[in-house]
Amino acid sequence: MAEGYELPLLLFAGFRSFIDELHAELAEQGHPDVRPAHGFALQAVGPGGATAGELGRRLGVSKQAAGKTVERLERLGYVERADDPEDGRRKLVRLTPRGVDVLTRSAAIFDRLRARWVETLGEQRVGALEADLRAMVPGGGFRLDAVGWFGS
């Protein structure tokens, strides 16, 4: 019988292998500076944009930490700040075409990585693994505030 600590470490190692391969491919495809935390932030910005405060809440970090992430992503060309059409006093963080590109490429790479797992383990086993994990994860899914949780 496996030790109790092995399961979370194996789950994390599987996650890490996906993320490491994703970032290696993204670097080859013109996105060498994007980091795992950036992916969470870009997802949290979403297609409609977000204020720095909203971004912080979505990521589970302070508004100041979210602001620093936005500054970094802005320097890298993944987001831009624009006036909020609903409230001229606020600034919205929005994805740039480069930000959309990295998310689109990431989705395609994740699909290829999953396909490799299917090739090795079979569709039935991978599907069962995904179903079992969905059953065990509180709330039925992944939360973007993992970045804040890791940093706590």
Side-chain angles (χ1 to χ4, degrees), residues 49-131:
T51 65
E54 290 168 338
L55 189 59
R57 284 189 294 282
R58 292 174 187 174
L59 294 172
V61 299
S62 70
K63 182 178 176 180
Q64 293 77 14
K68 287 182 182 183
T69 300
V70 169
E71 287 173 14
R72 175 82 172 135
L73 290 172
E74 196 171 28
R75 279 195 309 275
L76 294 171
Y78 292 105
V79 300
E80 62 187 3
R81 295 177 209 228
D83 291 333
D84 184 338
E86 295 179 17
D87 184 347
R89 298 168 294 174
R90 296 185 335 162
K91 290 287 187 187
L92 274 184
V93 178
R94 296 188 310 203
L95 297 173
T96 63
R98 183 167 171 78
V100 172
D101 181 66
V102 76
L103 289 177
T104 302
R105 289 175 185 273
S106 294
I109 293 167
F110 277 131
D111 287 345
R112 283 196 303 276
L113 294 173
R114 183 190 185 278
R116 212 169 69 220
W117 278 46
V118 166
E119 187 177 307
T120 301
L121 302 173
E123 180 65 50
Q124 188 173 0
R125 288 182 67 195
V126 172
L129 174 62
E130 291 167 336

